[in-house]
Amino acid sequence: MREVTRLRATPDQRATRSVGGAGGGTGPGGGKVTAATPPLRPLLLLPVGSGGRVTSVRSLRPCPAMGTEPRQAGAAVTTLRLYLEKILLQWVLQARPLSGAEVFNALRPFYFAVHPDFFGQHPREREINENSLKRLNGYLENLQKPGFKSFKPTQLTFYVREREQNSSDVQESFSAAGFRAVSFTLHTRDLLSTVLDILNSCSLSTEHVQSVNSQPHKEVKGTFYRPIKWDKTYYSFTGFKDPEEELEQAQRVEITLISWLDNSEKSAVKKLRNSLPLREELNRLKDELTHQLQLSDIRWQRSWGIAHRCSQLHSLGRLAQQSPEVLRNVKGHTVVFTDCSGMSATGHVMLGTMDVHHHWIEIFERLPSYYKLQKKMLLLEDRISHLLGGIQITYIEELQPLLTLEEYYTTLDAFYNRLLNSRLSFHPRSLRGLQMILESDKYAPSLHELGHFNIPTMCDPATLQWFIITKAQQARENLKRKEELTVMEKELISASTEKFSLKQLYKEPSISHAQMIDCCKRLLEESLPYLQGMHLCISHFYSVLQDGDLCIPWNWKS
């Protein structure tokens, strides 16, 4: 409820008015009113802090502000007119759509709470937030496209950083690490409603959205969540930590690889020793289930800890004992533990880690129908390839959001129908050896440094044909370069593993071949006895994982 400012009568006016009790009298309601007392006056209600906008009828209380004399009435009419004009201006501002700049400003508290850079010590949560932010940005970009009407509900999961747990009315349960998981589905078709849904879903304040919406209409280019800037007073109001101050403090002390390894060695060795029994258990369970179910492989989409992975394998093992006939359908396939159950676009069987056994059983029972859909999908890819001069349609797990087989088939089918209607004329087999992926959240084709084309599903056919033809030679050169980098990367990983006696040397999916090559070359020039017997991950940050793996940035300082 907002505070209401009341314009009261003057002291002289109050002095000339005397209202009696509830008993009989000459005035209305039995009161006694002197002859000099003016009648009750109309109300002028101005909510404080709302810019003249009345937000609730219940908050309005009678207050004398205007008289009946001509001069008073004229002043009252003028005041009322100005007040109504102010309200109208507010309504006009709220009626227009938000700009890209206003969306950026309105979602700043949200970006502060979920920005991946603040989850450096938690790679799994960091990866989930990065993936969800990419999908959210695509959704917001689609809302700003004029005439775009094809919207699908988008389910997102974010790990939200804890602010201050001082309020007793906060119902969310925070983890010991200081963040909570929030899932919500976007289905709105305008930016303002989408922004409010996001903030409300994450229990963040929406008070600032009105002020953001009333700012001058300016556009910003680039991604929605970088860079982040906010007035210093915001942090004292919300309780968030200032990311600029945190980054400044971190940058004051230049972290070198040697100094960090020296400080982190004991902690990493202790965690690694504690995890050794679980690592052996994990390998044993994986080998047993792979052999028992005749699987091609068992994988994990997220960077879950060893204990978590063992628990998932135990669950699958119990299901194999209870319902062995159901799991016969999975023979020869790869099982991937991920966030949802189904079949992936690459044909892997996905088991959601939050699902119970009967959900998994349903997936295994539906596998024959999935296999039929997979065959239709492969046929559809061949038809698209034929229309586009023999270019290969592919799906790259490391670079694309996780899609189910149904979602990917729908995307292919929509793209195929657009191609049929456009009647493009590519020379048969002129593009054999080239690759392309389909992206539903982009609107302009591009050529990736690894050599494949990124083609939007809604791309104009004429633009698509021109772009592929003009970039075909460069794409072949990029593919050749990719093969060379892949060979070089494997050689350097092998050499580094041998020199430092590492148990394992691997990289995050976001690390490119060129970055990994540069990192390994520089590592081979150093003497690092700390790494003997360790698991080393090349990443974007320094961290010791819960099972003792060492994470170092690819561009570490010596």
Side-chain angles (χ1 to χ4, degrees), residues 128 171 225 240 270 272 413 499:
I128 291 176
Q171 299 297 322
Y225 60 96
F240 279 113
K270 181 179 179 181
L272 180 60
D413 187 56
K499 176 179 179 179

Side-chain angles (χ1 to χ4, degrees), residues 75-138:
V77 170
T78 302
T79 304
L80 183 59
R81 178 176 58 81
L82 295 174
Y83 167 61
L84 293 176
E85 288 178 354
K86 196 169 186 179
I87 292 179
L88 181 60
L89 177 61
Q90 290 281 346
W91 288 345
V92 170
L93 287 173
Q94 292 175 358
R96 68 168 175 82
L98 291 179
S99 67
E102 290 165 343
V103 173
F104 178 84
N105 291 333
L107 287 179
R108 272 175 171 166
F110 168 73
Y111 293 140
F112 280 139
V114 304
H115 200 287
D117 287 354
F118 295 106
F119 290 81
Q121 302 294 326
H122 308 280
R124 171 178 174 266
E125 290 76 13
R126 178 174 179 268
E127 183 180 358
I128 291 176
N129 280 12
E130 281 183 344
N131 188 44
S132 295
L133 279 171
K134 290 177 183 178
R135 299 180 63 194
L136 172 60
N137 288 339

